[in-house]
Amino acid sequence: MSKVGRNDPCPCGSGKKFKRCCLERVEAEQRAERLRAEAERAEGGLDEVDEFVETLEHARAVLEESQIVEQVDRLSEAVLRGIEAGRFDEADATARQLMAAFPDEPLGFERLAQVQEARGQPEAAAEEYRRGVALMDELGEGHYCDCCRARMVKAIRRLDPDRPAPALLRDPQ
């Protein structure tokens, strides 16, 4: 298999760029493997072993985060499939499951808003988008991407033009 570039699609199939998906985990695994090999060659070297343990713990944390992202993606995609199939009750339940399992994930609010839009409930959808933007603002930069926040703000403006919408801030589009 050829080497995956940072800007190439991630080989895990998430649709994200490699650098925004699995790059950190892969690099951590490679560092852990190099350190393991070095530790085996070293006769004593507790410093190398300690560094290896730290790297291994970091790799485990990255793997755990990657598994969470996969669970969020799986639930999110199930909501979208439910909407597409017209199974709004099922999509609504899955969106609420996403929100309950991952309360700090704004995507749950966006998916629930999309269900409500599909049901023809623009006011309820705008409220969910507002809750998602408020969560993003509470979490602060680095916990979401600017395009996701901008997409939700634009949806609020479209669905509820009579009420003020949150500030757009940065719109990468």
Side-chain angles (χ1 to χ4, degrees), residues 32-45 48-49 52:
E33 180 58 31
R34 281 192 306 271
L35 288 172
R36 185 195 59 74
E38 289 174 14
E40 286 177 3
R41 284 192 298 270
E43 302 239 344
E48 289 89 0
V49 172
F52 168 73

Side-chain angles (χ1 to χ4, degrees), residues 15-74:
K16 298 176 186 175
K17 288 185 179 185
F18 182 60
K19 68 182 177 185
R20 299 219 184 266
C21 193
C22 293
L23 175 65
E24 188 174 314
R25 177 185 53 81
V26 169
E27 287 177 344
E29 289 170 354
Q30 290 171 345
R31 280 192 305 270
E33 180 58 31
R34 281 192 306 271
L35 288 172
R36 185 195 59 74
E38 289 174 14
E40 286 177 3
R41 284 192 298 270
E43 302 239 344
L46 290 178
D47 289 339
E48 289 89 0
V49 172
D50 288 342
E51 191 174 331
F52 168 73
V53 169
E54 280 182 30
T55 302
L56 186 58
E57 288 170 355
H58 178 72
R60 284 186 181 139
V62 169
L63 180 59
E64 184 177 306
E65 178 67 23
S66 149
Q67 290 168 338
I68 289 171
V69 168
E70 287 176 18
Q71 291 173 336
V72 168
D73 285 348
R74 195 170 29 255

Side-chain angles (χ1 to χ4, degrees), residues 144-156:
Y144 62 87
C145 63
D146 293 333
C147 61
C148 293
R149 187 182 185 285
R151 185 176 57 242
M152 285 202 238
V153 170
K154 289 176 182 178
I156 293 166

Side-chain angles (χ1 to χ4, degrees), residues 99 106 108-135 149-166:
M99 293 167 70
F109 292 101
E110 183 175 16
R111 293 299 178 250
L112 184 57
Q114 290 170 322
V115 171
Q116 291 167 335
E117 273 192 83
R119 284 182 163 158
Q121 300 171 334
E123 298 85 11
E127 274 312 304
E128 291 305 326
Y129 283 125
R130 287 179 194 283
R131 289 176 59 200
V133 170
L135 176 60
R149 187 182 185 285
R151 185 176 57 242
M152 285 202 238
V153 170
K154 289 176 182 178
I156 293 166
R157 290 178 178 172
R158 175 176 47 81
L159 295 168
D160 194 2
D162 296 332
R163 286 183 53 204

Side-chain angles (χ1 to χ4, degrees), residues 73-85:
D73 285 348
R74 195 170 29 255
L75 288 169
S76 173
E77 290 167 9
V79 173
L80 295 176
R81 284 192 305 272
I83 293 170
E84 189 174 304

